[in-house]
Amino acid sequence: DGGITQSPKYLFRKEGQNVTLSCEQNLNHDAMYWYRQDPGQGLRLIYYSQIVNDFQKGDIAEGYSVSREKKESFPLTVTSAQKNPTAFYLCASSIGLAVSTDTQYFGPGTRLTVL
Amino acid sequence: EDKVVQSPLSLVVHEGDTVTLNCSYEVTNFRSLLWYKQEKKAPTFLFMLTSSGIEKKSGRLSSILDKKELFSILNITATQTGDSAIYLCAVTNLNYGGSQGNLIFGKGTKLSVKP
């Protein structure tokens, strides 16, 4: 079945540690996105990538890093510089970056808790 | 398996028409249902519904939840070309350690409003 997978589903880390969240898609989509969701807020864009080896900062990129070495994969690293990393992280992909016409397909999410 | 199903997948109307978008769900430990409008890179939040039968309104948009029949509708009256977007429905469930729960998205309804 085609789709987007994220792992792990739940993640705990200690303060000061970097952690990497996985996102894989087998939909042959060019564009991929990372969002975070906090209680009472809408989705906020962290990073997005239109093509392999290229990515752009979203609205809240500070303290995060990404890579896009393969079309199918867009891992997100939450660094120790991110001051409030506890959140629900969603990965999405779309055929292209025409966001008014290309539906974004969302993964199941990763809930990160910093202890 | 938790799932959210939206219908129709796409819809074309003329300015001034009224539209109704549907969202049905099967989720264990349901907590809330959210509607988003996707026209820029990050979907923008429209409504959060937690109680059955209470309509939420914002201008020409309104939404209601039926927890017995497990569905929600989003109404848009007197549609305008600026309403053209993808409308996403998502459901949260009570889950481990989360006051917010995890988001499960539907595939979206693509609305096109013609002048």
Side-chain angles (χ1 to χ4, degrees):
Chain A
D1 283 358
I4 302 178
T5 56
Q6 290 184 242
S7 62
K9 193 171 182 180
Y10 303 102
L11 189 56
F12 299 87
R13 76 152 210 219
K14 294 181 180 178
E15 278 192 44
Q17 289 180 337
N18 291 355
V19 63
T20 297
L21 282 58
S22 165
C23 178
E24 305 277 332
Q25 53 98 359
N26 61 4
L27 300 166
N28 201 33
H29 285 172
D30 285 319
M32 296 186 76
Y33 313 78
W34 273 106
Y35 298 94
R36 75 175 268 169
Q37 168 107 38
D38 295 282
Q41 298 192 36
L43 299 179
R44 291 187 291 166
L45 182 65
I46 304 172
Y47 268 99
Y48 64 99
S49 168
Q50 188 173 2
I51 198 168
V52 174
N53 291 323
D54 182 65
F55 47 84
Q56 305 294 330
K57 291 182 179 180
D59 300 320
I60 53 163
E62 186 175 350
Y64 299 98
S65 65
V66 293
S67 62
R68 188 89 187 274
E69 296 176 4
K70 298 186 299 182
K71 187 175 186 178
E72 312 80 53
S73 179
F74 191 40
L76 173 75
T77 297
V78 185
T79 75
S80 55
Q82 167 50 235
K83 297 198 184 324
N84 188 19
T86 295
F88 184 58
Y89 290 87
L90 280 162
C91 177
S93 72
S94 62
I95 292 173
L97 254 190
V99 290
S100 63
T101 58
D102 290 342
T103 300
Q104 292 185 27
Y105 293 82
F106 286 85
T110 292
R111 179 162 295 281
L112 172 65
T113 302
V114 175
L115 305 172
Chain B
E1 184 184 343
D2 294 341
K3 64 179 180 180
V4 177
V5 178
Q6 292 186 245
S7 63
L9 290 180
S10 65
L11 189 57
V12 181
V13 300
H14 287 94
E15 274 192 312
D17 288 349
T18 293
V19 297
T20 298
L21 310 182
N22 302 292
C23 176
S24 64
Y25 61 90
E26 292 177 25
V27 172
T28 53
N29 298 318
F30 171 88
R31 178 174 179 84
S32 61
L33 185 143
L34 299 91
W35 284 98
Y36 289 88
K37 179 181 181 182
Q38 179 190 322
E39 55 180 344
K40 296 180 182 175
K41 294 186 186 65
T44 53
F45 172 78
L46 295 175
F47 298 110
M48 177 183 281
L49 303 157
T50 55
S51 302
S52 267
I54 298 174
E55 186 183 49
K56 292 220 173 175
K57 285 181 71 77
S58 176
R60 295 176 293 104
L61 277 66
S62 64
S63 184
I64 197 161
L65 174 68
D66 186 328
K67 289 168 76 173
K68 183 179 176 186
E69 300 296 331
L70 308 183
F71 78 91
S72 172
I73 59 171
L74 175 69
N75 276 325
I76 309 175
T77 59
T79 52
Q80 302 170 358
T81 54
D83 295 327
S84 295
I86 295 166
Y87 290 84
L88 294 166
C89 173
V91 173
T92 69
N93 55 8
L94 289 166
N95 218 323
Y96 175 82
S99 59
Q100 173 71 11
N102 292 331
L103 277 168
I104 304 128
F105 278 89
K107 288 188 162 68
T109 293
K110 188 180 297 183
L111 174 65
S112 299
V113 181
K114 304 291 187 191

